C-alpha cells in the first residue's frame, strides 16, 4: 500500500481539506495512474453534502472524471502500458457475471456498480474507494479507458462522466437529423448534451434559468434558447419536442418538461436532485409520453464516446482550477456561476 495526497471531506458540513489516503498495492490486473486532471461533477457535491439518502461514508474523496498517465502496471495487465494516457470514470468494478455485466451494460449491474468513490471494494478488504481529487489511483484495467487525445486533456476529463452520461441516452433515443431536442439545465452535463445532440444532427434548444447563457448556448451549437426562470415560461412550447434531456441538479418537478413533448416524446432523465420530483399522470398519457432514466454508460460505450470526441474535436468547456479553490468552486456551481465545468489541475495538490 502507498500513502498519497488527496482532498476530501470528513463530514457533510465541513469544507474539503487536504488528507492522506492509502492506495492498494498492485494486483495482477491493476493499473497505477498518476492523475493529471479531474473534473468536478455535481454528484461530487451531492455526495460530499450527503444529499442522497444519507449514503456518504466519511472521509469522502470525490472525483470521477479522471485523466492521468499510467505509472505502473500489474503482472497480468494487457490493455495498458507505462506512459499511456488513460481515463477513469464513475465505476471501477461490477460483479462481472450478471446479465447486464455480460451484455456490455455493466453500469446496470444487478449488484450495483462499485463507484470510483464512496463505495465498498468488492475484494472483501473493507476498503472504501477514493476518487480523483488525489495524486494517484490504483484500479482494475477493465474499468480504465484509453485516451487518444494528446491536447487539452483538461477538456477531455469531463467526458468521463458528463460526456458519457449525456452521450448514452441521446444514442439510446436515436437522436439524429429531423429530431427536435431540448436540453434543460446548461451545466456540466447539459453543455455536453448540447454538443452531442448538435453533432448527431438534431435541432437543439437550450432551456435555462440563466439568461446570461444565451450567447454561450449558441457558441455550443444550440439553434434556439428559451429563458425559463420559472416553469410558466414553458407553456407556449407545449408538445414541441421529440426529446427533452433533463440535466437539472436542483429540486424540480417533471410535469412542465413532460408537457414539452410531442407524440411518443421522451423525457431523458439524468439529473439527480436531492428530493423526488412530482409527475402528473395526465402529462404522461397525453402524446404517449415516456420518462427514461439513464446512468452513465458502459465501459465500451465510454470508449466509443471518447473516440467519437477525438474524431470530431469535441471537448468540454472548462475552467481549470488549483486544488485549493475547490470549496469556492462548489459554491459557484450551486449558484450556476460556471461555464461549464471546473477541472482540477492535480499538479497543484
Ligand atoms: P451542474 O454543472 O451544477 O449543472 C446543473 C444545472 O442545473 C445548472 O447549470 C442550471 O442550469 C440547472 N439548475 C440549477 N438549479 C436549477 C433550478 N432550481 N431549476 C432549474 N434548473 C436549475 O451539474 P452537473 O454536474 O451537470 O450535474 C447535473 C445533475 O446530474 C446532478 O444532479 C448530478 O448529480 C447528476 N448526474 C447524473 C448522472 C447519471 O448517471 N445519471 C451522472 C452525473 C451527474 P441553468 O443555469 O441552465 O438553468
Ligand atoms: Zn459525475
Ligand atoms: Zn453485474
Amino acid at each position: 500500500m502507498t500513502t498519497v495526497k488527496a482532498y476530501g471531506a470528513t463530514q457533510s458540513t465541513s469544507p474539503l481539506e487536504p488528507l492522506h489516503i492509502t492506495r492498494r498495492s498492485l494486483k495482477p490486473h491493476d493499473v497505477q495512474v498518476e492523475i493529471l486532471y479531474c473534473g468536478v461533477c455535481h454528484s461530487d457535491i451531492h455526495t460530499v453534502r450527503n444529499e442522497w439518502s444519507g449514503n456518504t461514508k466519511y472521509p469522502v474523496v470525490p472525483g470521477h472524471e479522471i485523466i492521468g498517465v499510467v505509472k505502473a502496471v500489474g503482472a497480468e495487465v494487457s490493455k495498458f502500458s507505462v506512459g499511456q494516457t488513460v481515463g477513469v470514470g464513475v465505476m471501477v468494478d461490477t460483479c462481472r457475471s450478471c446479465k447486464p455485466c455480460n451484455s456490455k451494460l455493466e453500469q446496470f449491474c444487478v449488484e450495483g456498480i462499485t463507484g470510483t468513490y464512496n463505495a465498498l471494494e468488492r475484494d472483501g478488504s473493507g476498503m472504501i474507494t477514493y476518487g480523483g481529487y488525489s495524486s494517484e489511483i490504483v484500479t482494475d484495467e477493465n474499468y480504465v479507458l484509453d485516451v487518444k487525445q494528446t491536447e487539452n486533456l483538461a477538456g477531455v476529463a469531463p467526458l468521463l462522466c458528463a460526456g458519457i452520461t449525456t452521450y448514452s441516452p441521446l444514442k439510446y433515443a436515436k437522436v439524429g437529423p429531423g429530431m427536435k431536442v431540448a436540453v434543460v439545465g446548461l451545466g456540466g452535463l447539459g453543455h455536453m448534451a448540447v454538443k452531442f445532440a448538435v453533432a448527431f444532427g438534431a435541432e437543439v434548444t437550450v432551456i435555462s434559468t440563466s439568461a446570461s447563457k444565451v450567447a454561450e448556448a449558441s457558441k455550443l451549437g444550440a439553434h434556439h434558447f428559451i429563458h425559463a426562470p420559472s416553469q410558466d415560461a414553458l407553456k407556449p412550447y407545449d408538445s414541441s419536442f421529440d426529446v427533452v434531456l433533463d440535466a437539472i441538479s436542483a429540486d424540480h418537478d417533471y410535469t412542465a418538461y413532460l408537457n414539452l413533448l410531442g407524440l411518443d416524446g421522451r423525457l431523458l432523465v439524468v439529473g439527480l436532485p436531492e428530493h423526488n420530483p412530482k409527475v402528473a399522470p395526465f402529462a404522461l398519457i397525453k402524446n404517449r409520453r415516456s420518462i427514461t432514466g439513464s446512468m452513465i454508460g458502459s465501459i465500451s460505450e465510454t470508449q466509443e464516446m471518447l473516440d467519437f470526441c477525438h474524431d470530431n474535436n469535441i471537448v468540454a468547456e472548462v475552467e481549470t482550477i488549483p486544488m485549493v479553490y475547490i470549496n469556492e468552486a462548489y459554491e459557484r456551481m450551486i449558484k450556476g456561476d460556471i461555464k461549464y465545468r471546473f477541472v482540477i489541475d492535480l499538479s497543484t495538490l
Side-chain angles (χ1 to χ4, degrees):
M1 294 217 282
T2 45
T3 300
V4 301
K5 285 184 186 176
Y7 237 71
T10 54
Q11 54 179 336
S12 63
T13 50
S14 305
L16 279 79
E17 57 188 80
L19 298 172
H20 282 95
I21 56 168
T22 52
R23 296 296 191 187
R24 65 177 182 244
S25 306
L26 285 186
K27 293 193 263 185
H29 283 282
D30 276 349
V31 175
Q32 183 184 12
V33 178
E34 182 188 342
I35 301 174
L36 301 176
Y37 295 103
C38 184
V40 181
C41 178
H42 210 109
S43 300
D44 302 352
I45 304 179
H46 290 308
T47 306
V48 162
R49 301 195 175 178
N50 208 7
E51 289 173 354
W52 287 337
S53 321
N55 76 350
T56 306
K57 302 161 189 63
Y58 295 95
V60 61
V61 174
H64 57 205
E65 294 183 337
I66 299 169
I67 293 284
V69 173
V70 177
K71 218 174 144 185
V73 294
E76 289 169 33
V77 167
S78 59
K79 297 181 178 165
F80 300 98
S81 49
V82 172
Q84 193 172 343
T85 305
V86 294
V88 179
V90 176
M91 62 183 157
V92 289
D93 206 354
T94 60
C95 87
R96 310 182 196 202
S97 59
C98 70
K99 198 173 165 191
C101 280
N102 284 327
S103 318
K104 295 193 171 177
L105 285 168
E106 66 279 2
Q107 74 272 34
F108 303 119
C109 175
V110 171
E111 292 184 6
I113 63 166
T114 303
T116 302
Y117 60 81
N118 196 44
L120 190 61
E121 290 278 13
R122 299 183 112 85
D123 60 5
S125 65
M127 283 177 82
I128 301 297
T129 57
Y130 295 124
Y133 298 7
S134 169
S135 54
E136 56 184 69
I137 188 166
V138 174
T139 195
D140 187 291
E141 64 171 329
N142 292 300
Y143 297 81
V144 174
L145 287 308
D146 173 32
V147 173
K148 297 180 179 72
Q149 288 85 341
T150 52
E151 285 170 18
N152 191 1
L153 292 177
V156 176
L159 303 179
L160 275 305
C161 175
I164 185 59
T165 302
T166 50
Y167 179 93
S168 183
L170 292 172
K171 278 271 168 182
Y172 181 74
K174 299 188 168 55
V175 164
M179 285 177 83
K180 291 188 176 180
V181 174
V183 175
V184 196
L186 195 62
L189 268 60
H191 95 290
M192 289 310 308
V194 170
K195 289 195 178 204
F196 287 132
V198 169
F200 298 161
E203 183 179 335
V204 180
T205 300
V206 167
I207 298 176
S208 173
T209 59
S210 313
S212 66
K213 292 180 182 170
V214 62
E216 285 83 0
S218 126
K219 272 191 229 154
L220 295 171
H223 307 94
H224 314 283
F225 185 89
I226 301 172
H227 177 221
S230 78
Q231 294 191 338
D232 286 345
L234 300 175
K235 284 190 182 136
Y237 305 96
D238 192 279
S239 303
S240 297
F241 296 96
D242 301 300
V243 165
V244 173
L245 186 141
D246 171 352
I248 300 174
S249 56
D251 292 335
H252 62 290
D253 286 345
Y254 289 160
T255 305
Y257 302 117
L258 277 170
N259 284 334
L260 296 171
L261 294 164
L263 185 62
D264 289 328
R266 214 189 261 271
L267 178 65
L268 299 175
V269 169
V270 293
L272 292 168
E274 181 175 5
H275 298 107
N276 296 332
K278 281 197 196 122
V279 182
F282 277 99
L284 262 179
I285 64 167
K286 184 177 176 187
N287 288 344
R288 199 163 53 190
R289 296 162 173 146
S290 58
I291 304 177
T292 303
S294 192
M295 186 174 127
I296 49 171
S298 67
I299 293 296
S300 56
E301 195 177 33
T302 306
Q303 190 65 60
E304 173 192 310
M305 178 275 313
L306 280 171
D307 296 348
F308 178 84
C309 290
H310 174 257
D311 295 344
N312 292 279
N313 290 321
I314 293 175
V315 285
E317 304 301 312
V318 305
E319 181 175 333
T320 305
I321 56 169
M323 191 70 253
V324 291
Y325 189 75
I326 191 68
N327 293 301
E328 211 169 325
Y330 278 15
E331 292 310 319
R332 280 184 52 198
M333 276 173 77
I334 287 161
K335 283 189 281 181
D337 174 23
I338 165 69
K339 292 178 180 118
Y340 286 93
R341 200 54 139 189
F342 288 113
V343 173
I344 305 158
D345 174 354
L346 270 308
S347 70
T348 63
L349 178 60

